[in-house]
CSV table of all heavy atoms in Angstrom, one decimal:
chain,number,residue,atom,x,y,z
A,31,MET,N,55.4,-71.0,91.9
A,31,MET,CA,55.1,-69.9,92.8
A,31,MET,C,53.6,-70.3,93.3
A,31,MET,O,52.9,-70.9,92.7
A,31,MET,CB,55.1,-68.6,92.1
A,31,MET,CG,56.4,-68.2,91.6
A,31,MET,SD,57.6,-67.9,92.9
A,31,MET,CE,57.0,-66.4,93.6
A,36,MET,N,51.9,-64.4,91.0
A,36,MET,CA,53.3,-64.4,91.4
A,36,MET,C,54.1,-65.1,90.4
A,36,MET,O,55.2,-64.7,90.1
A,36,MET,CB,53.4,-65.1,92.8
A,36,MET,CG,52.9,-64.3,94.0
A,36,MET,SD,53.2,-65.1,95.5
A,36,MET,CE,52.7,-64.0,96.7
A,39,ARG,N,54.9,-62.8,87.6
A,39,ARG,CA,55.9,-61.8,88.0
A,39,ARG,C,57.3,-62.4,88.0
A,39,ARG,O,58.3,-61.9,87.6
A,39,ARG,CB,55.6,-61.2,89.3
A,39,ARG,CG,54.4,-60.2,89.2
A,39,ARG,CD,54.1,-59.7,90.6
A,39,ARG,NE,55.2,-59.0,91.2
A,39,ARG,CZ,55.4,-59.0,92.6
A,39,ARG,NH1,54.5,-59.5,93.4
A,39,ARG,NH2,56.5,-58.4,93.1
A,40,TYR,N,57.3,-63.6,88.6
A,40,TYR,CA,58.6,-64.4,88.7
A,40,TYR,C,59.2,-64.6,87.4
A,40,TYR,O,60.4,-64.4,87.1
A,40,TYR,CB,58.3,-65.7,89.5
A,40,TYR,CG,59.5,-66.6,89.5
A,40,TYR,CD1,60.5,-66.5,90.5
A,40,TYR,CD2,59.6,-67.7,88.7
A,40,TYR,CE1,61.5,-67.3,90.6
A,40,TYR,CE2,60.6,-68.6,88.7
A,40,TYR,CZ,61.6,-68.4,89.7
A,40,TYR,OH,62.7,-69.2,89.7
A,43,LEU,N,60.5,-61.3,85.9
A,43,LEU,CA,61.7,-60.8,86.5
A,43,LEU,C,62.9,-61.7,86.2
A,43,LEU,O,64.0,-61.2,85.9
A,43,LEU,CB,61.5,-60.7,88.1
A,43,LEU,CG,60.8,-59.5,88.6
A,43,LEU,CD1,60.4,-59.7,90.0
A,43,LEU,CD2,61.6,-58.3,88.4
A,71,ASP,N,66.3,-66.1,95.3
A,71,ASP,CA,66.2,-64.7,95.9
A,71,ASP,C,65.0,-64.0,95.4
A,71,ASP,O,64.2,-63.4,96.2
A,71,ASP,CB,67.5,-63.9,95.6
A,71,ASP,CG,67.7,-62.7,96.4
A,71,ASP,OD1,68.2,-62.8,97.5
A,71,ASP,OD2,67.2,-61.6,95.9
A,72,VAL,N,64.8,-64.0,94.1
A,72,VAL,CA,63.6,-63.4,93.5
A,72,VAL,C,62.3,-64.0,94.0
A,72,VAL,O,61.4,-63.3,94.5
A,72,VAL,CB,63.6,-63.5,91.9
A,72,VAL,CG1,62.3,-63.1,91.3
A,72,VAL,CG2,64.8,-62.7,91.3
A,73,ARG,N,62.3,-65.3,94.1
A,73,ARG,CA,61.1,-66.0,94.6
A,73,ARG,C,60.8,-65.6,96.0
A,73,ARG,O,59.7,-65.2,96.3
A,73,ARG,CB,61.3,-67.5,94.5
A,73,ARG,CG,60.1,-68.3,95.1
A,73,ARG,CD,60.4,-69.8,95.2
A,73,ARG,NE,60.8,-70.4,93.9
A,73,ARG,CZ,61.9,-71.1,93.7
A,73,ARG,NH1,62.8,-71.3,94.6
A,73,ARG,NH2,62.2,-71.5,92.5
A,74,GLU,N,61.8,-65.6,96.9
A,74,GLU,CA,61.6,-65.2,98.3
A,74,GLU,C,61.2,-63.8,98.4
A,74,GLU,O,60.3,-63.4,99.3
A,74,GLU,CB,62.9,-65.4,99.1
A,74,GLU,CG,63.2,-66.9,99.2
A,74,GLU,CD,64.5,-67.2,99.9
A,74,GLU,OE1,65.4,-66.2,100.0
A,74,GLU,OE2,64.8,-68.4,100.2
A,75,GLN,N,61.7,-62.9,97.6
A,75,GLN,CA,61.4,-61.5,97.7
A,75,GLN,C,59.9,-61.2,97.2
A,75,GLN,O,59.2,-60.4,97.8
A,75,GLN,CB,62.3,-60.6,96.9
A,75,GLN,CG,63.7,-60.5,97.5
A,75,GLN,CD,64.4,-59.3,97.0
A,75,GLN,OE1,63.9,-58.1,97.0
A,75,GLN,NE2,65.6,-59.5,96.4
A,76,ILE,N,59.5,-62.0,96.2
A,76,ILE,CA,58.1,-61.9,95.7
A,76,ILE,C,57.2,-62.3,96.9
A,76,ILE,O,56.2,-61.6,97.2
A,76,ILE,CB,57.9,-62.7,94.5
A,76,ILE,CG1,58.6,-62.0,93.3
A,76,ILE,CG2,56.3,-62.8,94.2
A,76,ILE,CD1,58.4,-62.8,92.0
A,77,ILE,N,57.5,-63.5,97.4
A,77,ILE,CA,56.6,-64.0,98.5
A,77,ILE,C,56.6,-63.1,99.7
A,77,ILE,O,55.6,-62.9,100.4
A,77,ILE,CB,57.1,-65.5,98.9
A,77,ILE,CG1,56.8,-66.4,97.7
A,77,ILE,CG2,56.4,-65.9,100.1
A,77,ILE,CD1,57.4,-67.8,97.8
A,78,ALA,N,57.8,-62.4,100.0
A,78,ALA,CA,57.8,-61.5,101.1
A,78,ALA,C,57.1,-60.2,100.8
A,78,ALA,O,57.0,-59.3,101.7
A,78,ALA,CB,59.3,-61.2,101.4
A,79,GLY,N,56.5,-60.1,99.6
A,79,GLY,CA,55.6,-58.9,99.3
A,79,GLY,C,56.3,-57.7,98.7
A,79,GLY,O,55.8,-56.6,98.6
A,80,LYS,N,57.6,-57.9,98.2
A,80,LYS,CA,58.3,-56.8,97.5
A,80,LYS,C,57.7,-56.6,96.2
A,80,LYS,O,57.2,-57.5,95.5
A,80,LYS,CB,59.8,-57.2,97.4
A,80,LYS,CG,60.5,-57.4,98.7
A,80,LYS,CD,60.8,-56.1,99.4
A,80,LYS,CE,61.4,-56.3,100.8
A,80,LYS,NZ,62.7,-56.9,100.8
A,81,THR,N,57.8,-55.3,95.7
A,81,THR,CA,57.3,-55.0,94.4
A,81,THR,C,58.4,-55.3,93.4
A,81,THR,O,59.6,-55.5,93.8
A,81,THR,CB,57.0,-53.5,94.2
A,81,THR,OG1,58.2,-52.8,94.4
A,81,THR,CG2,56.0,-53.0,95.3
A,82,ASP,N,58.1,-55.4,92.1
A,82,ASP,CA,59.1,-55.7,91.1
A,82,ASP,C,60.2,-54.7,91.1
A,82,ASP,O,61.4,-55.0,91.0
A,82,ASP,CB,58.4,-55.6,89.7
A,82,ASP,CG,57.5,-56.9,89.5
A,82,ASP,OD1,57.4,-57.7,90.4
A,82,ASP,OD2,57.1,-57.1,88.3
A,83,GLU,N,59.8,-53.4,91.3
A,83,GLU,CA,60.8,-52.3,91.3
A,83,GLU,C,61.8,-52.5,92.5
A,83,GLU,O,63.0,-52.3,92.4
A,83,GLU,CB,60.1,-51.0,91.4
A,83,GLU,CG,60.9,-49.8,90.9
A,83,GLU,CD,61.6,-50.1,89.6
A,83,GLU,OE1,61.0,-50.6,88.6
A,83,GLU,OE2,62.9,-49.9,89.5
A,84,GLN,N,61.2,-52.9,93.7
A,84,GLN,CA,62.1,-53.1,94.8
A,84,GLN,C,63.1,-54.2,94.6
A,84,GLN,O,64.2,-54.2,95.0
A,84,GLN,CB,61.2,-53.4,96.1
A,84,GLN,CG,60.6,-52.1,96.7
A,84,GLN,CD,59.6,-52.5,97.8
A,84,GLN,OE1,58.9,-53.5,97.7
A,84,GLN,NE2,59.4,-51.7,98.8
A,85,ILE,N,62.6,-55.3,93.9
A,85,ILE,CA,63.4,-56.4,93.7
A,85,ILE,C,64.5,-56.1,92.7
A,85,ILE,O,65.7,-56.4,92.9
A,85,ILE,CB,62.6,-57.6,93.1
A,85,ILE,CG1,61.6,-58.1,94.2
A,85,ILE,CG2,63.5,-58.8,92.6
A,85,ILE,CD1,60.6,-59.1,93.7
A,86,ARG,N,64.2,-55.3,91.6
A,86,ARG,CA,65.2,-54.8,90.7
A,86,ARG,C,66.2,-54.0,91.4
A,86,ARG,O,67.4,-54.1,91.2
A,86,ARG,CB,64.6,-54.0,89.6
A,86,ARG,CG,64.0,-54.8,88.4
A,86,ARG,CD,63.5,-53.9,87.3
A,86,ARG,NE,62.4,-54.6,86.7
A,86,ARG,CZ,61.1,-54.2,86.8
A,86,ARG,NH1,60.8,-53.1,87.5
A,86,ARG,NH2,60.2,-54.9,86.2
A,87,GLU,N,65.8,-53.1,92.3
A,87,GLU,CA,66.7,-52.2,93.0
A,87,GLU,C,67.6,-53.0,93.9
A,87,GLU,O,68.8,-52.7,94.0
A,87,GLU,CB,65.9,-51.2,93.8
A,87,GLU,CG,65.6,-49.9,93.1
A,87,GLU,CD,64.5,-49.1,93.8
A,87,GLU,OE1,64.3,-49.3,95.0
A,87,GLU,OE2,63.8,-48.3,93.1
A,88,SER,N,67.1,-54.0,94.5
A,88,SER,CA,68.0,-54.8,95.4
A,88,SER,C,69.0,-55.5,94.6
A,88,SER,O,70.2,-55.7,95.0
A,88,SER,CB,67.1,-55.8,96.2
A,88,SER,OG,66.8,-57.0,95.4
A,89,MET,N,68.7,-56.0,93.4
A,89,MET,CA,69.7,-56.7,92.5
A,89,MET,C,70.7,-55.7,92.1
A,89,MET,O,71.9,-56.0,92.0
A,89,MET,CB,69.0,-57.2,91.3
A,89,MET,CG,68.1,-58.4,91.6
A,89,MET,SD,69.1,-59.8,92.1
A,89,MET,CE,67.8,-61.0,92.6
A,92,ARG,N,73.4,-54.8,94.6
A,92,ARG,CA,74.4,-55.8,94.9
A,92,ARG,C,75.3,-56.1,93.7
A,92,ARG,O,76.5,-56.3,93.8
A,92,ARG,CB,73.7,-57.1,95.3
A,92,ARG,CG,73.0,-56.9,96.7
A,92,ARG,CD,72.3,-58.1,97.1
A,92,ARG,NE,71.0,-58.3,96.4
A,92,ARG,CZ,70.2,-59.3,96.7
A,92,ARG,NH1,70.4,-60.1,97.7
A,92,ARG,NH2,69.1,-59.4,95.9
Side-chain angles (χ1 to χ4, degrees):
Chain A
M31 296 296 288
M36 282 185 179
R39 287 177 56 208
Y40 173 82
L43 279 167
D71 194 83
V72 171
R73 179 185 303 125
E74 289 173 352
Q75 290 201 54
I76 290 177
I77 291 171
K80 299 284 174 62
T81 67
D82 286 8
E83 203 44 52
Q84 283 171 328
I85 295 172
R86 275 185 213 109
E87 273 165 19
S88 80
M89 290 291 175
R92 292 176 288 185

